[in-house]
Amino acid sequence: MLRVSEFFDLVVVGAGPSGSAAAVAAQRAGLATLLLDAQGPNRDKTCGDGLTPRAVDTLQRLGLEVPAYRNFGLKLHGFGGDVVAPWPRGEGSASARATFDAMLVDAARAAGATIRQSCAATGVQFDGGAISAVETDQGTVRTKWVVVADGVRSPIGKELGRTWHKGQVYGIAARSYCSSPLSQEPWMHSHVELRDASGAIQPGYGWIFPLGDGHVNLGCGALSTDARPAKVNTKKLLALYASQQRETWQLGAEQQVASALLPMGGAVSNVAGPNWALIGDAAACVNPLNGEGIDYGLETAVLAVELIAGGGDLTLAWPALLRETYGEAFTLARSLARLLTYPQFLPLAGPVALRGLGGRYLMPAAARLMGNLVTEEDTDLVARLWRMAGKGARAVSGDQPLWGVR
């Protein structure tokens, strides 16, 4: 039970990967930290559960455990082609979110953070424009800083003025867990051509991500905007996809089916105030091309804590840092993802991308870009073209907001 007299340097709202990583980083930076979560110890979230090499890198930099399972990249299927796209560097991993989140909470506890699960943040109190206290269903706690990592719906973010702009591309997805003897398969699989029983192409894609524990994460998703909403029932599409893959993967029945909407590519505004910042999914730090968010959640956790440790007003500094770090990549990715919301695009582009020279050269490069695995140190042609395109997209784009400020 919280007591009103309690004080922490930092309160982190939400104990997903973003929040737990922030708590670990904050404790190591000398900030006495309270980590709150509305869910209990077995928290879960609709997620593909995949960890790109970016996520693995951040876990390793924080000295945190990386799940034992390893994968080498993506295998993409559809339109008469199959493409193998290895990670350009490093290895990926995967872990069911209930297991992964619990591991990170334990790491935050081991780092010295105070943990309060089954303790929902219900509001905040202000003093001169800055948050002075966080209200919970177990009492009120005073604080100097707040990191909001409460996920896609972000109830505390909404109270602070966070606005999700659905005119930009967002994701809709459903996931399940299925037993499979192929759970050690060292590749993540994505099927970009889904058809119903009559052969009609469906407006979405499917994935099968082995977890190394006797199960695979099987799901499906689609990209959408308010202007061009994806007209698909993701749970029905998931059942169809599972039936199509059951023999190949020797799948058990779909279990723990869940669905969600997902803001992407920085398409939210009002993500910071004088002493608070939104991170991870709450700040729409999700790659618009592949729906990946864990790597950005971990990275934004570290970035936010570093900024907080330096002191100063976060109102402009935090969105500016997000734009500096991800702006070019996310602006270009949003533009490309928008093409996928046109029903005519994938049937035309899919055969070109997945067959012949397209499959040999284009899709491996695209998979590298989808994973946002181009770094400033890369000097090859793909990296140079990506950076040029990103700069051009930002220069001509009226495609705001990108972590806009009210």
Side-chain angles (χ1 to χ4, degrees):
M1 180 70 69
L2 295 172
R3 300 180 300 277
V4 72
S5 59
E6 281 192 297
F7 174 85
F8 290 88
D9 296 318
L10 172 67
V11 172
V12 179
V13 180
S18 304
S20 293
V24 170
Q27 283 293 141
R28 293 178 181 172
L31 301 172
T33 302
L34 172 65
L35 178 62
L36 299 173
D37 197 84
Q39 297 187 55
N42 295 317
R43 75 187 310 280
D44 190 17
K45 184 209 167 188
T46 305
C47 183
D49 297 341
L51 300 174
T52 68
R54 289 178 69 119
V56 171
D57 286 348
T58 305
L59 290 172
Q60 291 174 336
R61 287 199 302 271
L62 288 171
L64 301 179
E65 180 181 353
V66 177
Y69 167 78
R70 295 289 188 274
N71 59 53
F72 304 141
L74 305 174
K75 288 188 176 181
L76 301 127
H77 313 278
F79 301 101
D82 297 282
V83 174
V84 177
W87 301 123
R89 63 173 62 82
E91 296 179 337
S93 185
S95 174
R97 277 294 299 269
T99 301
F100 186 64
D101 287 14
M103 180 270 289
L104 291 178
V105 169
D106 287 344
R109 184 180 290 109
T114 300
I115 312 297
R116 296 283 189 272
Q117 293 175 292
S118 301
C119 180
T122 57
V124 296
Q125 298 176 6
F126 292 94
D127 181 6
I131 296 175
S132 59
V134 175
E135 300 169 347
T136 81
D137 55 11
Q138 296 182 19
T140 301
V141 58
R142 296 177 296 117
T143 187
K144 184 177 180 181
W145 303 95
V146 177
V147 165
V148 181
D150 55 352
V152 294
R153 294 184 179 87
S154 192
I156 294 299
K158 287 181 182 178
E159 180 166 335
L160 293 169
R162 178 250 205 191
T163 303
W164 176 8
H165 301 274
K166 293 185 179 179
Q168 308 301 329
V169 172
Y170 61 91
I172 58 174
R175 75 100 224 261
S176 67
Y177 293 110
C178 301
S179 61
S180 171
L182 304 179
S183 73
Q184 294 288 344
E185 156 73 8
W187 298 88
M188 302 166 72
H189 291 253
S190 181
H191 295 81
V192 297
E193 179 187 13
L194 297 184
R195 296 182 181 272
D196 65 15
S198 69
I201 193 163
Q202 299 299 292
Y205 59 93
W207 71 76
I208 298 177
F209 295 167
L211 300 176
D213 64 353
H215 298 82
V216 297
N217 181 308
L218 181 146
C220 65
L223 295 171
S224 187
T225 68
D226 275 354
R228 288 181 300 281
K231 298 177 181 178
V232 58
N233 181 315
T234 52
K235 290 185 177 180
K236 288 184 178 180
L237 184 60
L238 183 150
L240 171 67
Y241 177 51
S243 70
Q244 294 169 343
Q245 297 298 320
R246 179 151 281 116
E247 182 178 355
T248 300
W249 285 83
Q250 301 173 54
L251 298 173
E254 305 93 84
Q255 302 291 333
Q256 296 176 254
V257 178
S259 61
L261 299 179
L262 189 63
M264 295 174 160
V268 295
S269 53
N270 309 322
V271 296
N275 68 334
W276 56 268
L278 273 62
I279 65 173
D281 287 356
C285 292
V286 175
N287 189 324
L289 285 177
N290 65 0
E292 169 58 30
I294 295 176
D295 46 8
Y296 302 103
L298 297 172
E299 291 173 3
T300 55
V302 175
L303 289 172
V305 169
E306 289 175 349
L307 197 60
I308 286 169
D313 192 313
L314 303 180
T315 306
L316 300 177
W318 179 237
L321 181 57
L322 289 175
R323 287 190 288 269
E324 176 186 347
T325 306
Y326 304 114
E328 290 177 3
F330 276 11
T331 298
L332 183 54
R334 287 199 326 197
S335 299
L336 296 176
R338 189 178 294 275
L339 291 174
L340 296 172
T341 67
Y342 290 91
Q344 308 89 342
F345 179 77
L346 193 56
L348 290 173
V352 176
L354 287 162
R355 299 179 195 163
L357 291 177
R360 187 174 180 181
Y361 297 108
L362 179 61
M363 285 311 294
R368 179 181 174 192
L369 303 180
M370 287 165 63
N372 202 4
L373 295 172
V374 175
T375 71
E376 289 300 320
E377 292 74 30
D378 292 336
T379 59
D380 59 276
L381 179 61
V382 170
R384 293 199 301 271
L385 291 174
W386 178 252
R387 283 194 287 269
M388 288 173 59
K391 288 181 172 63
R394 288 192 73 184
V396 303
S397 178
D399 194 26
Q400 292 296 323
L402 192 70
W403 302 291
V405 180
R406 182 170 48 199

Short mmCIF file of all heavy atoms in Angstrom, two decimals, residues 17 43-45 47-51 67 69 93-103 175 177 209-213 215-217 256 294:
data_model
loop_
_atom_site.label_atom_id
_atom_site.label_comp_id
_atom_site.label_asym_id
_atom_site.label_seq_id
_atom_site.Cartn_x
_atom_site.Cartn_y
_atom_site.Cartn_z
N PRO A 17 7.94 -3.65 -21.36
CA PRO A 17 9.38 -3.52 -21.62
C PRO A 17 9.89 -2.09 -21.50
O PRO A 17 10.98 -1.87 -20.95
CB PRO A 17 9.51 -4.04 -23.06
CG PRO A 17 8.39 -5.01 -23.20
CD PRO A 17 7.26 -4.42 -22.42
N ARG A 43 1.11 -10.10 -16.36
CA ARG A 43 0.61 -9.18 -17.39
C ARG A 43 0.89 -9.72 -18.78
O ARG A 43 1.89 -10.38 -19.03
CB ARG A 43 1.24 -7.79 -17.23
CG ARG A 43 2.69 -7.71 -17.68
CD ARG A 43 3.34 -6.37 -17.36
NE ARG A 43 2.61 -5.21 -17.76
CZ ARG A 43 2.56 -4.72 -19.01
NH1 ARG A 43 3.21 -5.35 -19.99
NH2 ARG A 43 1.88 -3.63 -19.28
N ASP A 44 -0.01 -9.42 -19.72
CA ASP A 44 0.15 -9.86 -21.10
C ASP A 44 -0.21 -8.70 -22.00
O ASP A 44 -0.81 -7.70 -21.57
CB ASP A 44 -0.75 -11.06 -21.37
CG ASP A 44 -0.47 -11.74 -22.70
OD1 ASP A 44 0.61 -11.50 -23.28
OD2 ASP A 44 -1.34 -12.50 -23.17
N LYS A 45 0.15 -8.82 -23.29
CA LYS A 45 -0.18 -7.78 -24.26
C LYS A 45 -0.24 -8.40 -25.64
O LYS A 45 0.54 -9.32 -25.94
CB LYS A 45 0.87 -6.67 -24.25
CG LYS A 45 0.53 -5.51 -25.18
CD LYS A 45 1.74 -4.82 -25.71
CE LYS A 45 1.34 -3.90 -26.85
NZ LYS A 45 2.50 -3.32 -27.54
N CYS A 47 0.85 -8.90 -29.04
CA CYS A 47 2.19 -8.61 -29.54
C CYS A 47 2.68 -9.79 -30.38
O CYS A 47 2.26 -10.93 -30.15
CB CYS A 47 3.15 -8.39 -28.36
SG CYS A 47 4.84 -7.91 -28.81
N GLY A 48 3.55 -9.51 -31.33
CA GLY A 48 4.16 -10.58 -32.09
C GLY A 48 5.28 -11.29 -31.35
O GLY A 48 5.72 -12.36 -31.75
N ASP A 49 5.77 -10.66 -30.28
CA ASP A 49 6.79 -11.25 -29.39
C ASP A 49 8.18 -11.32 -30.00
O ASP A 49 9.11 -11.84 -29.36
CB ASP A 49 6.40 -12.67 -28.93
CG ASP A 49 5.13 -12.69 -28.10
OD1 ASP A 49 4.75 -11.63 -27.57
OD2 ASP A 49 4.53 -13.77 -27.97
N GLY A 50 8.37 -10.82 -31.21
CA GLY A 50 9.69 -10.87 -31.83
C GLY A 50 10.61 -9.79 -31.30
O GLY A 50 10.18 -8.67 -30.97
N LEU A 51 11.89 -10.12 -31.19
CA LEU A 51 12.91 -9.17 -30.76
C LEU A 51 13.94 -9.04 -31.89
O LEU A 51 14.64 -10.00 -32.21
CB LEU A 51 13.61 -9.66 -29.48
CG LEU A 51 12.71 -9.87 -28.26
CD1 LEU A 51 13.51 -10.50 -27.13
CD2 LEU A 51 12.09 -8.55 -27.81
N PRO A 67 16.41 -13.61 -24.04
CA PRO A 67 15.83 -14.95 -24.13
C PRO A 67 16.72 -15.91 -24.91
O PRO A 67 17.40 -15.51 -25.86
CB PRO A 67 14.49 -14.71 -24.83
CG PRO A 67 14.13 -13.30 -24.46
CD PRO A 67 15.43 -12.56 -24.40
N TYR A 69 16.20 -18.34 -27.02
CA TYR A 69 15.93 -18.61 -28.43
C TYR A 69 16.59 -17.54 -29.31
O TYR A 69 16.61 -16.36 -28.97
CB TYR A 69 14.41 -18.61 -28.68
CG TYR A 69 14.04 -18.56 -30.14
CD1 TYR A 69 14.11 -19.69 -30.94
CD2 TYR A 69 13.64 -17.36 -30.72
CE1 TYR A 69 13.78 -19.64 -32.28
CE2 TYR A 69 13.31 -17.29 -32.06
CZ TYR A 69 13.38 -18.43 -32.84
OH TYR A 69 13.07 -18.36 -34.17
N SER A 93 15.66 -12.53 -31.41
CA SER A 93 15.16 -13.49 -30.43
C SER A 93 13.65 -13.36 -30.38
O SER A 93 13.03 -12.66 -31.20
CB SER A 93 15.79 -13.22 -29.06
OG SER A 93 15.39 -14.22 -28.12
N ALA A 94 13.03 -14.02 -29.44
CA ALA A 94 11.58 -13.94 -29.23
C ALA A 94 11.26 -14.53 -27.88
O ALA A 94 11.97 -15.41 -27.38
CB ALA A 94 10.82 -14.67 -30.33
N SER A 95 10.19 -14.03 -27.30
CA SER A 95 9.72 -14.56 -26.02
C SER A 95 8.27 -14.14 -25.83
O SER A 95 7.91 -13.01 -26.16
CB SER A 95 10.56 -14.01 -24.87
OG SER A 95 10.03 -14.41 -23.61
N ALA A 96 7.46 -15.06 -25.34
CA ALA A 96 6.08 -14.70 -25.02
C ALA A 96 6.08 -13.51 -24.07
O ALA A 96 6.86 -13.46 -23.12
CB ALA A 96 5.36 -15.88 -24.39
N ARG A 97 5.20 -12.54 -24.32
CA ARG A 97 5.25 -11.31 -23.57
C ARG A 97 5.04 -11.51 -22.06
O ARG A 97 5.66 -10.80 -21.26
CB ARG A 97 4.21 -10.32 -24.12
CG ARG A 97 4.70 -9.56 -25.33
CD ARG A 97 5.85 -8.62 -25.03
NE ARG A 97 5.51 -7.61 -24.07
CZ ARG A 97 5.01 -6.42 -24.41
NH1 ARG A 97 4.82 -6.11 -25.68
NH2 ARG A 97 4.71 -5.54 -23.48
N ALA A 98 4.21 -12.43 -21.68
CA ALA A 98 4.03 -12.65 -20.24
C ALA A 98 5.35 -13.04 -19.59
O ALA A 98 5.69 -12.57 -18.49
CB ALA A 98 2.97 -13.72 -19.99
N THR A 99 6.13 -13.87 -20.26
CA THR A 99 7.43 -14.29 -19.74
C THR A 99 8.44 -13.16 -19.81
O THR A 99 9.18 -12.89 -18.85
CB THR A 99 7.95 -15.50 -20.53
OG1 THR A 99 7.01 -16.57 -20.43
CG2 THR A 99 9.30 -15.96 -20.02
N PHE A 100 8.49 -12.48 -20.96
CA PHE A 100 9.46 -11.41 -21.17
C PHE A 100 9.23 -10.25 -20.21
O PHE A 100 10.16 -9.73 -19.58
CB PHE A 100 9.36 -10.93 -22.62
CG PHE A 100 10.40 -9.94 -23.02
CD1 PHE A 100 11.75 -10.28 -23.04
CD2 PHE A 100 10.04 -8.66 -23.42
CE1 PHE A 100 12.72 -9.36 -23.43
CE2 PHE A 100 11.00 -7.74 -23.82
CZ PHE A 100 12.34 -8.08 -23.82
N ASP A 101 7.97 -9.84 -20.06
CA ASP A 101 7.66 -8.71 -19.17
C ASP A 101 8.00 -9.04 -17.73
O ASP A 101 8.54 -8.20 -16.99
CB ASP A 101 6.19 -8.33 -19.30
CG ASP A 101 5.88 -7.62 -20.61
OD1 ASP A 101 6.73 -7.66 -21.53
OD2 ASP A 101 4.78 -7.06 -20.73
N ALA A 102 7.70 -10.28 -17.31
CA ALA A 102 8.01 -10.67 -15.94
C ALA A 102 9.52 -10.66 -15.70
O ALA A 102 9.99 -10.25 -14.63
CB ALA A 102 7.44 -12.06 -15.65
N MET A 103 10.28 -11.09 -16.69
CA MET A 103 11.74 -11.07 -16.56
C MET A 103 12.26 -9.66 -16.37
O MET A 103 13.13 -9.39 -15.53
CB MET A 103 12.37 -11.73 -17.78
CG MET A 103 13.90 -11.78 -17.77
SD MET A 103 14.69 -10.32 -18.51
CE MET A 103 14.31 -10.56 -20.24
N ARG A 175 -3.34 -11.79 -32.33
CA ARG A 175 -2.30 -12.80 -32.14
C ARG A 175 -2.84 -13.97 -31.33
O ARG A 175 -3.82 -13.86 -30.59
CB ARG A 175 -1.06 -12.21 -31.48
CG ARG A 175 -1.19 -11.93 -29.97
CD ARG A 175 -0.55 -13.01 -29.11
NE ARG A 175 -1.44 -13.35 -28.01
CZ ARG A 175 -1.35 -12.91 -26.78
NH1 ARG A 175 -0.39 -12.09 -26.45
NH2 ARG A 175 -2.21 -13.30 -25.85
N TYR A 177 -1.31 -18.07 -29.59
CA TYR A 177 -0.21 -19.01 -29.38
C TYR A 177 -0.68 -20.39 -29.80
O TYR A 177 -1.80 -20.81 -29.47
CB TYR A 177 0.22 -19.02 -27.91
CG TYR A 177 0.84 -17.72 -27.46
CD1 TYR A 177 0.19 -16.88 -26.58
CD2 TYR A 177 2.09 -17.33 -27.94
CE1 TYR A 177 0.76 -15.68 -26.17
CE2 TYR A 177 2.67 -16.14 -27.54
CZ TYR A 177 2.00 -15.32 -26.66
OH TYR A 177 2.57 -14.13 -26.27
N PHE A 209 5.98 -16.57 -35.63
CA PHE A 209 7.26 -16.33 -34.98
C PHE A 209 7.52 -17.44 -33.97
O PHE A 209 6.84 -17.52 -32.93
CB PHE A 209 7.26 -14.97 -34.25
CG PHE A 209 7.13 -13.77 -35.15
CD1 PHE A 209 6.84 -12.53 -34.61
CD2 PHE A 209 7.32 -13.88 -36.52
CE1 PHE A 209 6.74 -11.41 -35.42
CE2 PHE A 209 7.21 -12.76 -37.34
CZ PHE A 209 6.92 -11.53 -36.80
N PRO A 210 8.46 -18.32 -34.25
CA PRO A 210 8.81 -19.37 -33.28
C PRO A 210 9.31 -18.76 -31.98
O PRO A 210 9.99 -17.73 -31.97
CB PRO A 210 9.91 -20.15 -33.99
CG PRO A 210 9.69 -19.89 -35.45
CD PRO A 210 9.21 -18.47 -35.51
N LEU A 211 8.98 -19.42 -30.87
CA LEU A 211 9.36 -18.93 -29.55
C LEU A 211 10.39 -19.81 -28.85
O LEU A 211 10.86 -19.46 -27.77
CB LEU A 211 8.12 -18.78 -28.67
CG LEU A 211 7.05 -17.82 -29.18
CD1 LEU A 211 5.83 -17.86 -28.27
CD2 LEU A 211 7.59 -16.41 -29.30
N GLY A 212 10.70 -20.97 -29.43
CA GLY A 212 11.71 -21.83 -28.84
C GLY A 212 11.26 -22.59 -27.61
O GLY A 212 12.07 -23.25 -26.95
N ASP A 213 9.97 -22.54 -27.28
CA ASP A 213 9.48 -23.18 -26.06
C ASP A 213 8.37 -24.18 -26.33
O ASP A 213 7.60 -24.52 -25.43
CB ASP A 213 8.97 -22.11 -25.08
CG ASP A 213 7.76 -21.35 -25.62
OD1 ASP A 213 7.39 -21.56 -26.80
OD2 ASP A 213 7.17 -20.55 -24.86
N HIS A 215 6.10 -23.56 -28.69
CA HIS A 215 4.99 -22.79 -29.23
C HIS A 215 5.48 -21.79 -30.27
O HIS A 215 6.67 -21.43 -30.30
CB HIS A 215 4.25 -22.02 -28.12
CG HIS A 215 3.63 -22.90 -27.09
ND1 HIS A 215 4.35 -23.44 -26.04
CD2 HIS A 215 2.35 -23.35 -26.96
CE1 HIS A 215 3.54 -24.17 -25.29
NE2 HIS A 215 2.33 -24.15 -25.83
N VAL A 216 4.55 -21.35 -31.10
CA VAL A 216 4.80 -20.24 -32.00
C VAL A 216 3.76 -19.16 -31.72
O VAL A 216 2.66 -19.44 -31.24
CB VAL A 216 4.73 -20.66 -33.49
CG1 VAL A 216 5.81 -21.69 -33.81
CG2 VAL A 216 3.34 -21.18 -33.85
N ASN A 217 4.16 -17.92 -31.99
CA ASN A 217 3.21 -16.81 -31.97
C ASN A 217 2.68 -16.68 -33.39
O ASN A 217 3.44 -16.43 -34.33
CB ASN A 217 3.92 -15.53 -31.54
CG ASN A 217 2.98 -14.32 -31.48
OD1 ASN A 217 2.28 -14.03 -32.43
ND2 ASN A 217 3.02 -13.62 -30.36
N GLN A 256 -5.23 -18.16 -26.37
CA GLN A 256 -4.98 -16.79 -25.90
C GLN A 256 -5.08 -15.77 -27.04
O GLN A 256 -4.23 -14.89 -27.20
CB GLN A 256 -3.61 -16.70 -25.24
CG GLN A 256 -3.47 -17.54 -23.98
CD GLN A 256 -2.07 -17.50 -23.42
OE1 GLN A 256 -1.31 -18.47 -23.54
NE2 GLN A 256 -1.69 -16.37 -22.83
N ILE A 294 8.97 -3.25 -29.57
CA ILE A 294 9.75 -3.54 -28.37
C ILE A 294 11.11 -2.87 -28.44
O ILE A 294 11.58 -2.30 -27.45
CB ILE A 294 9.91 -5.07 -28.16
CG1 ILE A 294 8.54 -5.70 -27.87
CG2 ILE A 294 10.86 -5.36 -27.00
CD1 ILE A 294 8.58 -7.21 -27.74
#
